[in-house]
Amino acid sequence: GEWVVEVGQESTSLRFDPSKDMLAPSSSNPVFLRKDTPSDFQWRIRNLTYPKSVYTVTCDHAAQQIVVRTENKKYFKRIDIPDLQRAGLQLEDGSLTWDHSHNTLVISYKKPRKVVEMEAKRIAEAEKKALQV
């Protein structure tokens, strides 16, 4: 099957091949990517030129997604957190923070203890398997 990129950015979406492609994406289009830290899930949306006051970032509890929208209706994005879904956890408003600077919207969601423990367990298992090889 196809790979699903959850963290980072797909490398194929960055390259333009003039012999195969008719159009190239604009360099001024918003670029969405996920870059986690040890304590937070973090997403960055680059090339958003509006002032901070225009953005609204909320939790949609019914859909279990983070919703980003602008007052002027120029940008809208729903963000899934597959890690929370795997752990069977619900979104909490108090864990969501965001900031906008240098044309980049940075959205952070504090990782619940259960997710941090699951990640530590997976890392320990991977290191154990690597040492066995």
Side-chain angles (χ1 to χ4, degrees), residues 5-11 32-36 42:
V5 177
E6 288 183 6
V7 179
Q9 188 174 10
E10 292 185 54
S11 62
F32 176 81
L33 62 119
R34 179 173 162 181
K35 293 220 177 212
D36 290 354
Q42 194 171 84

mmCIF file of all heavy atoms in Angstrom, residues 5-11 32-36 42:
data_model
loop_
_atom_site.group_PDB
_atom_site.id
_atom_site.type_symbol
_atom_site.label_atom_id
_atom_site.label_comp_id
_atom_site.label_asym_id
_atom_site.label_seq_id
_atom_site.Cartn_x
_atom_site.Cartn_y
_atom_site.Cartn_z
ATOM 1 N N VAL A 5 2.401 9.777 5.437
ATOM 2 C CA VAL A 5 3.367 10.587 6.176
ATOM 3 C C VAL A 5 2.615 11.339 7.266
ATOM 4 O O VAL A 5 1.750 12.152 6.971
ATOM 5 C CB VAL A 5 4.100 11.582 5.239
ATOM 6 C CG1 VAL A 5 5.045 12.468 6.030
ATOM 7 C CG2 VAL A 5 4.842 10.825 4.159
ATOM 8 N N GLU A 6 2.929 11.024 8.546
ATOM 9 C CA GLU A 6 2.275 11.698 9.663
ATOM 10 C C GLU A 6 3.120 12.851 10.191
ATOM 11 O O GLU A 6 2.589 13.851 10.646
ATOM 12 C CB GLU A 6 2.008 10.715 10.807
ATOM 13 C CG GLU A 6 0.902 9.731 10.509
ATOM 14 C CD GLU A 6 0.596 8.821 11.676
ATOM 15 O OE1 GLU A 6 1.170 9.019 12.766
ATOM 16 O OE2 GLU A 6 -0.208 7.904 11.500
ATOM 17 N N VAL A 7 4.434 12.703 10.181
ATOM 18 C CA VAL A 7 5.338 13.723 10.710
ATOM 19 C C VAL A 7 6.310 14.112 9.615
ATOM 20 O O VAL A 7 6.871 13.256 8.947
ATOM 21 C CB VAL A 7 6.110 13.202 11.949
ATOM 22 C CG1 VAL A 7 7.053 14.260 12.475
ATOM 23 C CG2 VAL A 7 5.146 12.753 13.031
ATOM 24 N N GLY A 8 6.510 15.419 9.430
ATOM 25 C CA GLY A 8 7.419 15.901 8.385
ATOM 26 C C GLY A 8 6.659 16.243 7.128
ATOM 27 O O GLY A 8 5.482 16.566 7.158
ATOM 28 N N GLN A 9 7.340 16.133 6.011
ATOM 29 C CA GLN A 9 6.755 16.531 4.737
ATOM 30 C C GLN A 9 7.153 15.528 3.676
ATOM 31 O O GLN A 9 8.297 15.066 3.630
ATOM 32 C CB GLN A 9 7.272 17.927 4.377
ATOM 33 C CG GLN A 9 6.628 18.549 3.206
ATOM 34 C CD GLN A 9 7.089 19.991 3.010
ATOM 35 O OE1 GLN A 9 8.024 20.440 3.642
ATOM 36 N NE2 GLN A 9 6.440 20.688 2.121
ATOM 37 N N GLU A 10 6.225 15.185 2.797
ATOM 38 C CA GLU A 10 6.519 14.269 1.708
ATOM 39 C C GLU A 10 7.532 14.901 0.764
ATOM 40 O O GLU A 10 7.352 16.035 0.332
ATOM 41 C CB GLU A 10 5.257 13.932 0.930
ATOM 42 C CG GLU A 10 4.271 13.108 1.711
ATOM 43 C CD GLU A 10 3.094 12.705 0.850
ATOM 44 O OE1 GLU A 10 3.316 12.119 -0.226
ATOM 45 O OE2 GLU A 10 1.971 12.983 1.267
ATOM 46 N N SER A 11 8.595 14.181 0.455
ATOM 47 C CA SER A 11 9.640 14.752 -0.398
ATOM 48 C C SER A 11 9.185 14.891 -1.843
ATOM 49 O O SER A 11 9.636 15.772 -2.557
ATOM 50 C CB SER A 11 10.908 13.899 -0.328
ATOM 51 O OG SER A 11 10.634 12.591 -0.800
ATOM 52 N N PHE A 32 1.857 23.114 4.781
ATOM 53 C CA PHE A 32 1.472 22.496 6.046
ATOM 54 C C PHE A 32 2.388 21.321 6.336
ATOM 55 O O PHE A 32 2.597 20.466 5.486
ATOM 56 C CB PHE A 32 0.017 22.019 5.942
ATOM 57 C CG PHE A 32 -0.467 21.281 7.150
ATOM 58 C CD1 PHE A 32 -0.900 21.981 8.258
ATOM 59 C CD2 PHE A 32 -0.488 19.906 7.170
ATOM 60 C CE1 PHE A 32 -1.355 21.309 9.384
ATOM 61 C CE2 PHE A 32 -0.937 19.227 8.279
ATOM 62 C CZ PHE A 32 -1.375 19.930 9.390
ATOM 63 N N LEU A 33 2.961 21.280 7.545
ATOM 64 C CA LEU A 33 3.762 20.127 7.943
ATOM 65 C C LEU A 33 3.734 19.944 9.444
ATOM 66 O O LEU A 33 3.468 20.877 10.195
ATOM 67 C CB LEU A 33 5.202 20.246 7.443
ATOM 68 C CG LEU A 33 6.039 21.404 7.932
ATOM 69 C CD1 LEU A 33 7.242 20.859 8.676
ATOM 70 C CD2 LEU A 33 6.495 22.207 6.738
ATOM 71 N N ARG A 34 4.010 18.732 9.858
ATOM 72 C CA ARG A 34 4.023 18.389 11.281
ATOM 73 C C ARG A 34 5.452 18.165 11.727
ATOM 74 O O ARG A 34 6.204 17.446 11.089
ATOM 75 C CB ARG A 34 3.193 17.122 11.507
ATOM 76 C CG ARG A 34 3.162 16.680 12.948
ATOM 77 C CD ARG A 34 2.200 15.530 13.135
ATOM 78 N NE ARG A 34 2.461 14.829 14.385
ATOM 79 C CZ ARG A 34 1.804 13.774 14.799
ATOM 80 N NH1 ARG A 34 0.814 13.289 14.059
ATOM 81 N NH2 ARG A 34 2.106 13.197 15.932
ATOM 82 N N LYS A 35 5.818 18.813 12.831
ATOM 83 C CA LYS A 35 7.150 18.664 13.423
ATOM 84 C C LYS A 35 6.963 18.543 14.929
ATOM 85 O O LYS A 35 6.798 19.544 15.615
ATOM 86 C CB LYS A 35 8.031 19.868 13.117
ATOM 87 C CG LYS A 35 8.383 19.988 11.660
ATOM 88 C CD LYS A 35 9.803 20.402 11.536
ATOM 89 C CE LYS A 35 10.174 20.443 10.069
ATOM 90 N NZ LYS A 35 11.533 20.107 9.850
ATOM 91 N N ASP A 36 6.958 17.328 15.440
ATOM 92 C CA ASP A 36 6.730 17.109 16.867
ATOM 93 C C ASP A 36 7.958 17.418 17.702
ATOM 94 O O ASP A 36 9.089 17.335 17.226
ATOM 95 C CB ASP A 36 6.324 15.658 17.126
ATOM 96 C CG ASP A 36 4.926 15.353 16.599
ATOM 97 O OD1 ASP A 36 4.247 16.280 16.145
ATOM 98 O OD2 ASP A 36 4.534 14.177 16.664
ATOM 99 N N GLN A 42 3.241 19.173 17.094
ATOM 100 C CA GLN A 42 3.373 20.526 16.583
ATOM 101 C C GLN A 42 3.213 20.545 15.064
ATOM 102 O O GLN A 42 3.761 19.704 14.359
ATOM 103 C CB GLN A 42 4.729 21.105 16.968
ATOM 104 C CG GLN A 42 4.817 22.595 16.785
ATOM 105 C CD GLN A 42 6.101 23.143 17.376
ATOM 106 O OE1 GLN A 42 7.124 23.117 16.705
ATOM 107 N NE2 GLN A 42 6.025 23.623 18.611
#
